[in-house]
Short mmCIF file of all heavy atoms in Angstrom, two decimals:
data_model
loop_
_atom_site.label_atom_id
_atom_site.label_comp_id
_atom_site.label_asym_id
_atom_site.label_seq_id
_atom_site.Cartn_x
_atom_site.Cartn_y
_atom_site.Cartn_z
N MET G 113 6.57 16.53 26.35
CA MET G 113 7.76 17.22 25.81
C MET G 113 7.31 18.46 25.04
O MET G 113 6.37 18.39 24.26
CB MET G 113 8.53 16.27 24.89
CG MET G 113 9.82 16.86 24.35
SD MET G 113 10.73 15.65 23.36
CE MET G 113 11.25 14.50 24.63
N ASN G 185 3.70 29.30 -0.90
CA ASN G 185 2.79 28.19 -1.16
C ASN G 185 1.38 28.49 -0.68
O ASN G 185 0.60 27.57 -0.44
CB ASN G 185 3.31 26.92 -0.47
CG ASN G 185 2.97 25.67 -1.25
OD1 ASN G 185 2.64 25.74 -2.43
ND2 ASN G 185 3.06 24.52 -0.61
N PRO G 187 -1.85 31.24 -1.48
CA PRO G 187 -2.36 32.40 -2.22
C PRO G 187 -2.78 33.55 -1.30
O PRO G 187 -2.85 34.70 -1.74
CB PRO G 187 -3.57 31.84 -2.98
CG PRO G 187 -3.93 30.57 -2.29
CD PRO G 187 -2.67 30.04 -1.70
N ARG G 188 -3.02 33.25 -0.03
CA ARG G 188 -3.39 34.33 0.90
C ARG G 188 -2.22 35.25 1.15
O ARG G 188 -2.41 36.44 1.44
CB ARG G 188 -3.93 33.73 2.20
CG ARG G 188 -5.29 33.07 2.02
CD ARG G 188 -5.70 32.23 3.20
NE ARG G 188 -4.88 31.04 3.35
CZ ARG G 188 -5.25 29.95 4.00
NH1 ARG G 188 -6.45 29.88 4.54
NH2 ARG G 188 -4.45 28.91 4.10
N GLY G 206 9.00 27.06 -14.14
CA GLY G 206 9.67 25.90 -13.57
C GLY G 206 9.55 25.79 -12.06
O GLY G 206 9.93 24.77 -11.49
N ALA G 208 8.22 24.71 -8.86
CA ALA G 208 7.27 23.68 -8.40
C ALA G 208 6.47 23.13 -9.58
O ALA G 208 5.29 22.83 -9.45
CB ALA G 208 6.34 24.22 -7.32
N PHE G 209 7.13 23.00 -10.71
CA PHE G 209 6.51 22.41 -11.90
C PHE G 209 5.18 23.08 -12.23
O PHE G 209 4.20 22.42 -12.53
CB PHE G 209 6.32 20.90 -11.71
CG PHE G 209 7.61 20.14 -11.74
CD1 PHE G 209 8.39 20.04 -10.60
CD2 PHE G 209 8.05 19.53 -12.90
CE1 PHE G 209 9.59 19.36 -10.63
CE2 PHE G 209 9.24 18.84 -12.93
CZ PHE G 209 10.03 18.75 -11.80
N ARG G 211 3.26 24.86 -10.21
CA ARG G 211 2.37 25.14 -9.08
C ARG G 211 2.48 26.58 -8.62
O ARG G 211 1.49 27.20 -8.23
CB ARG G 211 2.68 24.18 -7.93
CG ARG G 211 1.72 24.34 -6.76
CD ARG G 211 1.93 23.28 -5.70
NE ARG G 211 3.03 23.60 -4.82
CZ ARG G 211 4.03 22.79 -4.52
NH1 ARG G 211 4.07 21.60 -5.07
NH2 ARG G 211 5.00 23.13 -3.70
N GLN G 214 0.32 28.87 -10.36
CA GLN G 214 -1.08 28.68 -9.94
C GLN G 214 -1.34 29.36 -8.60
O GLN G 214 -2.42 29.92 -8.38
CB GLN G 214 -1.39 27.19 -9.83
CG GLN G 214 -1.42 26.46 -11.16
CD GLN G 214 -1.78 25.00 -10.99
OE1 GLN G 214 -0.90 24.17 -10.81
NE2 GLN G 214 -3.04 24.68 -11.03
N LYS G 222 -8.73 36.05 -6.94
CA LYS G 222 -9.78 36.36 -5.97
C LYS G 222 -9.89 37.86 -5.73
O LYS G 222 -10.96 38.38 -5.42
CB LYS G 222 -9.49 35.64 -4.65
CG LYS G 222 -9.85 34.17 -4.71
CD LYS G 222 -10.01 33.56 -3.34
CE LYS G 222 -10.56 32.15 -3.48
NZ LYS G 222 -10.70 31.47 -2.20
N ASP G 237 13.87 27.51 -19.07
CA ASP G 237 15.07 27.46 -18.24
C ASP G 237 16.07 26.45 -18.83
O ASP G 237 15.82 25.84 -19.88
CB ASP G 237 14.71 27.12 -16.79
CG ASP G 237 14.02 25.76 -16.65
OD1 ASP G 237 14.24 24.89 -17.51
OD2 ASP G 237 13.27 25.60 -15.68
N GLY G 239 16.98 23.51 -18.09
CA GLY G 239 16.48 22.15 -18.32
C GLY G 239 15.62 22.08 -19.56
O GLY G 239 15.71 21.13 -20.35
N GLN G 240 14.76 23.09 -19.73
CA GLN G 240 13.87 23.08 -20.89
C GLN G 240 14.61 23.39 -22.18
O GLN G 240 14.14 23.03 -23.26
CB GLN G 240 12.75 24.09 -20.67
CG GLN G 240 11.78 23.66 -19.57
CD GLN G 240 10.78 24.74 -19.20
OE1 GLN G 240 11.12 25.92 -19.19
NE2 GLN G 240 9.57 24.34 -18.88
N ARG G 253 9.29 25.16 -28.30
CA ARG G 253 9.34 24.93 -26.86
C ARG G 253 8.98 26.20 -26.10
O ARG G 253 8.26 26.17 -25.10
CB ARG G 253 10.74 24.44 -26.46
CG ARG G 253 10.94 24.15 -24.98
CD ARG G 253 10.09 23.01 -24.46
NE ARG G 253 10.22 21.80 -25.23
CZ ARG G 253 11.25 20.93 -25.10
NH1 ARG G 253 12.18 21.16 -24.21
NH2 ARG G 253 11.29 19.84 -25.83
N ILE G 255 7.07 28.67 -27.06
CA ILE G 255 5.63 28.94 -27.16
C ILE G 255 4.84 27.96 -26.29
O ILE G 255 3.93 28.35 -25.57
CB ILE G 255 5.18 28.84 -28.63
CG1 ILE G 255 5.75 30.01 -29.43
CG2 ILE G 255 3.66 28.82 -28.74
CD1 ILE G 255 5.53 29.92 -30.93
N GLU G 256 5.24 26.70 -26.33
CA GLU G 256 4.54 25.71 -25.51
C GLU G 256 4.62 26.04 -24.03
O GLU G 256 3.62 26.01 -23.31
CB GLU G 256 5.14 24.32 -25.74
CG GLU G 256 4.72 23.67 -27.04
CD GLU G 256 5.51 22.40 -27.32
OE1 GLU G 256 6.38 22.03 -26.49
OE2 GLU G 256 5.27 21.80 -28.36
N THR G 257 5.81 26.35 -23.58
CA THR G 257 5.96 26.59 -22.15
C THR G 257 5.26 27.89 -21.73
O THR G 257 4.66 27.96 -20.67
CB THR G 257 7.45 26.65 -21.75
OG1 THR G 257 8.10 27.66 -22.54
CG2 THR G 257 8.13 25.33 -21.95
N GLU G 259 2.68 29.18 -23.21
CA GLU G 259 1.23 28.90 -23.26
C GLU G 259 0.77 28.25 -21.96
O GLU G 259 -0.26 28.61 -21.39
CB GLU G 259 0.95 27.97 -24.44
CG GLU G 259 -0.49 27.60 -24.61
CD GLU G 259 -0.67 26.50 -25.65
OE1 GLU G 259 0.32 26.15 -26.32
OE2 GLU G 259 -1.78 26.00 -25.75
N LEU G 262 0.49 30.91 -19.25
CA LEU G 262 -0.73 31.73 -19.33
C LEU G 262 -1.93 30.95 -18.78
O LEU G 262 -2.77 31.53 -18.09
CB LEU G 262 -1.00 32.14 -20.78
CG LEU G 262 -0.03 33.16 -21.39
CD1 LEU G 262 -0.42 33.46 -22.83
CD2 LEU G 262 0.00 34.45 -20.58
N ARG G 263 -2.00 29.65 -19.08
CA ARG G 263 -3.09 28.85 -18.55
C ARG G 263 -3.06 28.86 -17.03
O ARG G 263 -4.06 29.06 -16.37
CB ARG G 263 -2.96 27.40 -19.02
CG ARG G 263 -3.03 27.21 -20.50
CD ARG G 263 -4.46 27.21 -20.99
NE ARG G 263 -4.49 27.00 -22.43
CZ ARG G 263 -4.31 27.95 -23.34
NH1 ARG G 263 -4.09 29.20 -22.97
NH2 ARG G 263 -4.35 27.68 -24.63
N ARG G 264 -1.87 28.60 -16.50
CA ARG G 264 -1.77 28.49 -15.04
C ARG G 264 -1.95 29.84 -14.35
O ARG G 264 -2.44 29.92 -13.24
CB ARG G 264 -0.41 27.87 -14.66
CG ARG G 264 -0.28 26.42 -15.08
CD ARG G 264 0.99 25.79 -14.57
NE ARG G 264 2.18 26.28 -15.21
CZ ARG G 264 2.72 25.77 -16.31
NH1 ARG G 264 2.16 24.73 -16.88
NH2 ARG G 264 3.82 26.27 -16.83
N GLU G 287 18.68 33.92 -32.10
CA GLU G 287 17.68 34.66 -32.90
C GLU G 287 16.30 34.02 -32.83
O GLU G 287 15.28 34.72 -32.87
CB GLU G 287 18.14 34.74 -34.35
CG GLU G 287 19.30 35.69 -34.53
CD GLU G 287 19.50 36.04 -36.00
OE1 GLU G 287 18.52 36.04 -36.75
OE2 GLU G 287 20.65 36.31 -36.38
N GLU G 295 7.57 38.16 -31.37
CA GLU G 295 6.25 37.80 -31.89
C GLU G 295 5.22 37.77 -30.77
O GLU G 295 4.08 38.21 -30.94
CB GLU G 295 6.31 36.44 -32.59
CG GLU G 295 7.04 36.45 -33.93
CD GLU G 295 6.21 37.08 -35.04
OE1 GLU G 295 4.99 37.15 -34.86
OE2 GLU G 295 6.79 37.52 -36.05
N LEU G 296 5.61 37.20 -29.66
CA LEU G 296 4.69 37.14 -28.53
C LEU G 296 4.33 38.54 -28.04
O LEU G 296 3.19 38.82 -27.67
CB LEU G 296 5.32 36.32 -27.38
CG LEU G 296 5.49 34.83 -27.65
CD1 LEU G 296 6.34 34.17 -26.57
CD2 LEU G 296 4.11 34.15 -27.71
N ARG G 478 16.89 21.12 -6.25
CA ARG G 478 16.73 20.05 -7.22
C ARG G 478 16.69 20.62 -8.65
O ARG G 478 17.28 20.08 -9.57
CB ARG G 478 15.43 19.31 -6.90
CG ARG G 478 15.13 18.12 -7.76
CD ARG G 478 16.02 16.97 -7.42
NE ARG G 478 16.96 16.73 -8.51
CZ ARG G 478 17.86 15.76 -8.49
NH1 ARG G 478 17.98 14.98 -7.44
NH2 ARG G 478 18.67 15.59 -9.51
N ASP G 482 19.20 19.93 -11.79
CA ASP G 482 18.71 19.46 -13.09
C ASP G 482 19.26 20.26 -14.26
O ASP G 482 19.23 19.80 -15.40
CB ASP G 482 17.18 19.51 -13.12
CG ASP G 482 16.55 18.49 -12.19
OD1 ASP G 482 17.27 17.55 -11.81
OD2 ASP G 482 15.38 18.66 -11.84
N ARG V 14 16.63 32.32 -40.98
CA ARG V 14 15.87 33.22 -40.11
C ARG V 14 14.47 33.45 -40.68
O ARG V 14 13.48 33.46 -39.95
CB ARG V 14 16.61 34.55 -39.98
CG ARG V 14 15.89 35.52 -39.08
CD ARG V 14 16.69 36.79 -38.88
NE ARG V 14 15.96 37.73 -38.09
CZ ARG V 14 16.43 38.89 -37.68
NH1 ARG V 14 17.68 39.22 -37.98
NH2 ARG V 14 15.70 39.70 -36.97
N LEU V 21 7.17 30.52 -37.05
CA LEU V 21 6.58 31.15 -35.86
C LEU V 21 5.23 31.75 -36.17
O LEU V 21 4.25 31.55 -35.45
CB LEU V 21 7.49 32.28 -35.39
CG LEU V 21 8.50 31.93 -34.34
CD1 LEU V 21 9.39 33.11 -34.12
CD2 LEU V 21 7.76 31.54 -33.09
N LEU V 25 1.64 30.94 -34.50
CA LEU V 25 0.89 31.93 -33.75
C LEU V 25 -0.45 32.24 -34.40
O LEU V 25 -1.44 32.49 -33.72
CB LEU V 25 1.71 33.20 -33.58
CG LEU V 25 2.92 33.05 -32.67
CD1 LEU V 25 3.88 34.21 -32.86
CD2 LEU V 25 2.48 32.96 -31.22
N LEU V 30 -1.91 30.75 -29.54
CA LEU V 30 -0.60 30.30 -29.09
C LEU V 30 -0.43 28.80 -29.22
O LEU V 30 0.53 28.24 -28.76
CB LEU V 30 -0.43 30.69 -27.62
CG LEU V 30 -0.02 32.12 -27.38
CD1 LEU V 30 0.04 32.39 -25.89
CD2 LEU V 30 1.30 32.41 -28.03
N GLN V 33 0.86 22.88 -30.15
CA GLN V 33 0.75 21.44 -30.21
C GLN V 33 -0.66 21.05 -29.78
O GLN V 33 -1.03 21.19 -28.64
CB GLN V 33 1.77 20.82 -29.26
CG GLN V 33 1.98 19.37 -29.51
CD GLN V 33 3.24 18.89 -28.84
OE1 GLN V 33 4.04 19.69 -28.37
NE2 GLN V 33 3.41 17.60 -28.76
N PHE V 69 5.02 13.40 20.32
CA PHE V 69 5.06 13.71 21.75
C PHE V 69 3.75 14.30 22.27
O PHE V 69 3.67 14.75 23.40
CB PHE V 69 6.21 14.67 22.05
CG PHE V 69 7.55 14.07 21.72
CD1 PHE V 69 8.24 14.48 20.60
CD2 PHE V 69 8.10 13.09 22.53
CE1 PHE V 69 9.47 13.92 20.28
CE2 PHE V 69 9.33 12.52 22.22
CZ PHE V 69 10.02 12.93 21.09
N ASN V 71 2.29 17.01 21.13
CA ASN V 71 2.13 18.45 20.91
C ASN V 71 1.26 18.69 19.68
O ASN V 71 1.39 17.98 18.67
CB ASN V 71 3.50 19.11 20.72
CG ASN V 71 4.31 19.07 22.00
OD1 ASN V 71 3.83 19.46 23.06
ND2 ASN V 71 5.52 18.55 21.92
N MET V 95 -9.80 29.16 -25.66
CA MET V 95 -8.34 29.15 -25.48
C MET V 95 -7.94 28.73 -24.07
O MET V 95 -6.79 28.85 -23.70
CB MET V 95 -7.80 30.55 -25.74
CG MET V 95 -7.59 30.86 -27.21
SD MET V 95 -6.29 29.84 -27.90
CE MET V 95 -4.89 30.55 -27.01
N GLU V 97 -8.17 25.73 -22.49
CA GLU V 97 -8.01 24.32 -22.14
C GLU V 97 -6.88 24.16 -21.13
O GLU V 97 -5.90 24.91 -21.16
CB GLU V 97 -7.70 23.48 -23.38
CG GLU V 97 -8.83 23.41 -24.38
CD GLU V 97 -8.62 24.38 -25.52
OE1 GLU V 97 -7.87 25.36 -25.30
OE2 GLU V 97 -9.20 24.19 -26.58
N VAL V 99 -3.67 22.66 -19.00
CA VAL V 99 -2.40 21.99 -19.29
C VAL V 99 -2.16 20.95 -18.20
O VAL V 99 -2.79 20.97 -17.14
CB VAL V 99 -1.22 22.99 -19.36
CG1 VAL V 99 -1.34 23.86 -20.58
CG2 VAL V 99 -1.12 23.81 -18.09
N ALA V 101 0.08 20.41 -16.03
CA ALA V 101 0.47 20.86 -14.69
C ALA V 101 -0.76 21.18 -13.84
O ALA V 101 -0.71 21.06 -12.62
CB ALA V 101 1.36 22.09 -14.79
N GLU V 102 -1.84 21.59 -14.49
CA GLU V 102 -3.05 21.90 -13.72
C GLU V 102 -3.73 20.64 -13.21
O GLU V 102 -4.53 20.69 -12.29
CB GLU V 102 -4.01 22.72 -14.58
CG GLU V 102 -3.47 24.11 -14.89
CD GLU V 102 -4.30 24.82 -15.94
OE1 GLU V 102 -4.07 24.58 -17.14
OE2 GLU V 102 -5.19 25.58 -15.55
N PHE V 105 -1.37 19.46 -10.27
CA PHE V 105 -1.68 20.26 -9.09
C PHE V 105 -2.99 21.00 -9.36
O PHE V 105 -2.98 22.12 -9.84
CB PHE V 105 -0.56 21.26 -8.78
CG PHE V 105 -0.85 22.11 -7.56
CD1 PHE V 105 -0.71 21.58 -6.29
CD2 PHE V 105 -1.30 23.41 -7.68
CE1 PHE V 105 -1.00 22.34 -5.17
CE2 PHE V 105 -1.59 24.19 -6.57
CZ PHE V 105 -1.44 23.64 -5.32
N PHE V 107 -5.44 23.32 -8.63
CA PHE V 107 -5.49 24.41 -7.65
C PHE V 107 -6.86 24.42 -6.97
O PHE V 107 -7.90 24.46 -7.62
CB PHE V 107 -5.24 25.75 -8.34
CG PHE V 107 -5.06 26.87 -7.37
CD1 PHE V 107 -3.84 27.10 -6.78
CD2 PHE V 107 -6.12 27.68 -7.03
CE1 PHE V 107 -3.67 28.11 -5.86
CE2 PHE V 107 -5.97 28.71 -6.12
CZ PHE V 107 -4.74 28.92 -5.53
N ASP V 109 -10.08 25.65 -4.45
CA ASP V 109 -10.72 26.87 -3.93
C ASP V 109 -10.38 27.06 -2.46
O ASP V 109 -10.32 28.17 -1.97
CB ASP V 109 -12.24 26.78 -4.10
CG ASP V 109 -12.65 26.99 -5.55
OD1 ASP V 109 -11.91 27.69 -6.27
OD2 ASP V 109 -13.70 26.46 -5.96
N PRO V 111 -7.78 27.11 0.26
CA PRO V 111 -6.31 27.13 0.39
C PRO V 111 -5.78 26.11 1.39
O PRO V 111 -4.62 25.72 1.31
CB PRO V 111 -6.02 28.56 0.86
CG PRO V 111 -7.22 29.35 0.49
CD PRO V 111 -8.38 28.41 0.59
N ASP V 112 -6.62 25.66 2.30
CA ASP V 112 -6.13 24.68 3.27
C ASP V 112 -5.82 23.33 2.63
O ASP V 112 -5.24 22.45 3.26
CB ASP V 112 -7.16 24.49 4.39
CG ASP V 112 -7.20 25.70 5.33
OD1 ASP V 112 -6.18 26.42 5.38
OD2 ASP V 112 -8.24 25.94 5.96
N ILE V 114 -3.90 23.13 -0.01
CA ILE V 114 -2.67 23.27 -0.81
C ILE V 114 -1.55 22.39 -0.26
O ILE V 114 -0.79 21.79 -1.02
CB ILE V 114 -2.26 24.75 -0.88
CG1 ILE V 114 -3.22 25.47 -1.84
CG2 ILE V 114 -0.82 24.90 -1.35
CD1 ILE V 114 -3.00 26.95 -1.93
N SER V 118 0.19 19.76 -2.60
CA SER V 118 1.62 19.90 -2.91
C SER V 118 2.33 18.57 -2.74
O SER V 118 3.17 18.18 -3.55
CB SER V 118 2.27 20.96 -2.01
OG SER V 118 1.67 22.21 -2.23
N GLN V 121 1.44 16.40 -5.60
CA GLN V 121 2.14 16.77 -6.83
C GLN V 121 3.55 16.19 -6.82
O GLN V 121 4.03 15.64 -7.82
CB GLN V 121 2.21 18.29 -6.98
CG GLN V 121 2.82 18.71 -8.31
CD GLN V 121 3.34 20.14 -8.29
OE1 GLN V 121 3.78 20.63 -7.25
NE2 GLN V 121 3.27 20.81 -9.42
N LEU V 125 5.21 13.57 -9.50
CA LEU V 125 6.43 13.81 -10.26
C LEU V 125 7.43 12.67 -10.05
O LEU V 125 8.10 12.23 -10.97
CB LEU V 125 7.05 15.14 -9.86
CG LEU V 125 6.17 16.37 -10.11
CD1 LEU V 125 6.80 17.61 -9.52
CD2 LEU V 125 5.93 16.55 -11.60
N ARG V 136 14.35 14.85 -15.64
CA ARG V 136 13.46 15.82 -14.99
C ARG V 136 13.06 16.93 -15.96
O ARG V 136 11.97 17.49 -15.84
CB ARG V 136 14.12 16.40 -13.74
CG ARG V 136 14.25 15.38 -12.61
CD ARG V 136 14.88 15.99 -11.39
NE ARG V 136 14.04 17.00 -10.77
CZ ARG V 136 13.12 16.74 -9.85
NH1 ARG V 136 12.94 15.51 -9.43
NH2 ARG V 136 12.39 17.71 -9.33
N ALA V 137 13.93 17.24 -16.89
CA ALA V 137 13.57 18.26 -17.87
C ALA V 137 12.39 17.77 -18.71
O ALA V 137 11.48 18.55 -19.04
CB ALA V 137 14.77 18.59 -18.76
N GLN V 140 9.35 18.15 -16.66
CA GLN V 140 8.95 19.56 -16.61
C GLN V 140 8.28 19.98 -17.92
O GLN V 140 7.27 20.67 -17.91
CB GLN V 140 10.17 20.44 -16.33
CG GLN V 140 9.81 21.91 -16.15
CD GLN V 140 10.97 22.71 -15.61
OE1 GLN V 140 11.82 22.17 -14.92
NE2 GLN V 140 11.00 23.99 -15.90
N ASN V 141 8.84 19.53 -19.02
CA ASN V 141 8.23 19.87 -20.31
C ASN V 141 6.84 19.26 -20.43
O ASN V 141 5.94 19.86 -21.03
CB ASN V 141 9.12 19.37 -21.46
CG ASN V 141 10.42 20.15 -21.54
OD1 ASN V 141 10.50 21.28 -21.07
ND2 ASN V 141 11.45 19.53 -22.09
N ASP V 144 3.55 21.11 -19.63
CA ASP V 144 2.96 22.12 -20.51
C ASP V 144 2.11 21.52 -21.62
O ASP V 144 1.62 22.24 -22.48
CB ASP V 144 4.06 23.00 -21.11
CG ASP V 144 4.76 23.80 -20.03
OD1 ASP V 144 4.05 24.42 -19.22
OD2 ASP V 144 5.99 23.80 -19.98
N ARG V 146 -0.96 20.50 -23.45
CA ARG V 146 -2.33 21.00 -23.36
C ARG V 146 -3.31 19.86 -23.57
O ARG V 146 -3.10 18.99 -24.42
CB ARG V 146 -2.57 22.08 -24.42
CG ARG V 146 -3.92 22.74 -24.32
CD ARG V 146 -3.84 24.19 -24.74
NE ARG V 146 -3.43 24.34 -26.12
CZ ARG V 146 -4.30 24.47 -27.14
NH1 ARG V 146 -5.58 24.45 -26.90
NH2 ARG V 146 -3.87 24.65 -28.37
#
Side-chain angles (χ1 to χ4, degrees):
Chain G
M113 184 176 290
N185 213 17
R188 290 168 292 202
F209 289 83
R211 185 173 81 231
Q214 291 182 270
K222 283 199 172 178
D237 61 26
Q240 290 172 323
R253 180 65 53 80
I255 290 172
E256 283 171 0
T257 56
E259 180 189 352
L262 290 180
R263 298 279 181 278
R264 292 186 289 271
E287 288 195 30
E295 288 285 340
L296 291 170
R478 183 73 250 180
D482 291 342
Chain V
R14 181 176 176 175
L21 267 174
L25 291 164
L30 280 177
Q33 195 164 349
F69 298 105
N71 293 309
M95 277 294 292
E97 294 99 338
V99 290
E102 292 170 276
F105 180 77
F107 189 83
D109 285 333
D112 287 337
I114 286 176
S118 298
Q121 185 200 32
L125 299 173
R136 290 181 67 89
Q140 185 168 333
N141 292 336
D144 295 312
R146 185 147 62 95

